[in-house]
């Protein structure tokens, strides 16, 4: 990168508190109150039900923004997408926000090895067209289109100016999983 820029500006990692301030400031313009919903607990059947304390709004808010910062890797643009996606209900004066624990991203771990190979190539090349993917893997454009469109239909990819790229909503989870598998460094 020093070939392109004369100097580098290092930015600090964004903290949970900074992310919270940014999103809450943006929300304050709307005039809506915020209510954070607790995570949905799995139901357990027991003869003696346990009494659980319901967390206060401040605690739920802190948990939400901590999870949001972790899931998005401090990326504010992606955090805002998750924020909007977390909206459970809107009334006349209140927005109800679901916990990110309710967001199930475990499907990332069930992606087949062949699809992971495709995703890895898309990450390394910062997206590929159907033609470039066909050339890279030495397959027909028809086969290339089939593979990429299958991942697009699964919601794993999106298209930007004919380039197939990993969906930004799951990008960090995919990259982290691939790092765990030593497919990316």
């Amino acid at each position: 990168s020093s070939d392109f820029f004369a100097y580098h500006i290092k930015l600090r990692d964004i903290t949970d508190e900074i992310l919270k301030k940014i999103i809450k400031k943006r929300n304050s313009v709307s005039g809506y109150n915020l209510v954070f919903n607790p995570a949905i607990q799995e139901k357990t059947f027991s003869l003696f039900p346990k009494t659980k304390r319901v967390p206060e709004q401040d605690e739920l808010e802190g948990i939400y923004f901590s999870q949001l910062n972790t899931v998005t890797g401090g990326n504010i643009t992606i955090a805002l997408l998750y924020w909007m996606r977390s909206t459970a209900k809107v009334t006349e004066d209140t927005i109800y926000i679901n916990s990110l624990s309710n967001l199930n991203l475990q499907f990332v771990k069930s992606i087949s090895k062949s699809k992971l190979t495709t995703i890895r190539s898309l990450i390394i090349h910062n997206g590929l067209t159907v033609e470039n993917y066909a050339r890279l893997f030495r397959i027909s454009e028809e086969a290339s289109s089939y593979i990429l469109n299958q991942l697009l239909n699964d919601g794993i990819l999106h298209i930007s100016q004919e380039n197939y790229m990993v969906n930004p909503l799951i990008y960090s989870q995919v990259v982290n999983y691939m790092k765990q598998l030593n497919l990316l460094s």
Side-chain angles (χ1 to χ4, degrees):
S1 62
S2 60
D3 296 340
F4 302 105
F5 302 103
Y7 55 92
H8 300 274
I9 299 173
K10 297 247 183 205
L11 298 175
R12 292 179 287 153
D13 288 339
I14 195 163
T15 64
D16 301 347
E17 198 58 38
I18 291 171
L19 185 62
K20 179 170 135 179
K21 284 181 184 177
I22 291 168
I23 290 178
K24 287 190 80 172
K25 185 173 186 175
R26 186 174 184 270
N27 181 72
S28 69
V29 175
S30 72
Y32 283 92
N33 297 316
L34 295 174
V35 173
F36 292 87
N37 295 330
I40 297 171
Q41 301 294 321
E42 290 185 26
K43 293 182 180 180
T44 56
F45 297 98
S46 172
L47 295 174
F48 304 102
K50 297 176 185 175
T51 56
K52 291 192 176 188
R53 133 186 123 69
V54 176
E56 298 291 325
Q57 280 298 300
D58 290 341
E59 187 179 348
L60 289 171
E61 183 179 291
I63 292 168
Y64 177 85
F65 285 105
S66 176
Q67 289 175 337
L68 183 64
N69 196 17
T70 301
V71 165
T72 62
N75 184 321
I76 295 171
T77 304
I78 302 299
L80 288 169
L81 287 172
Y82 271 95
W83 171 254
M84 289 186 286
R85 195 166 178 214
S86 299
T87 303
K89 179 172 89 171
V90 179
T91 63
E92 289 180 19
D93 63 347
T94 306
I95 298 174
Y96 294 86
I97 304 296
N98 273 341
S99 168
L100 288 176
S101 298
N102 300 341
L103 187 64
N104 187 356
L105 296 170
Q106 292 301 316
F107 75 91
V108 169
K109 293 182 179 178
S110 67
I111 298 173
S112 70
K113 301 281 190 248
S114 62
K115 288 181 180 179
L116 284 175
T117 302
T118 295
I119 294 166
R120 180 180 181 272
S121 299
L122 294 171
I123 291 169
I124 290 171
H125 295 284
N126 198 24
L128 291 167
T129 64
V130 170
E131 298 81 23
N132 290 339
Y133 184 84
R135 253 187 264 128
L136 180 67
F137 285 96
R138 297 180 182 165
I139 60 175
S140 70
E141 286 186 19
E142 184 178 307
S144 171
S145 178
Y146 175 78
I147 292 167
L148 294 172
N149 283 317
Q150 187 179 30
L151 288 166
L152 179 70
N153 291 335
D154 290 345
I156 296 171
L157 302 183
H158 81 280
I159 299 176
S160 176
Q161 299 174 350
E162 295 188 23
N163 270 338
Y164 286 80
M165 305 176 89
V166 177
N167 186 332
L169 288 175
I170 62 168
Y171 185 86
S172 62
Q173 289 79 14
V174 170
V175 168
N176 288 337
Y177 179 58
M178 292 181 89
K179 284 180 179 177
Q180 288 174 2
L181 296 175
N182 290 324
L183 294 174
L184 289 174
S185 56

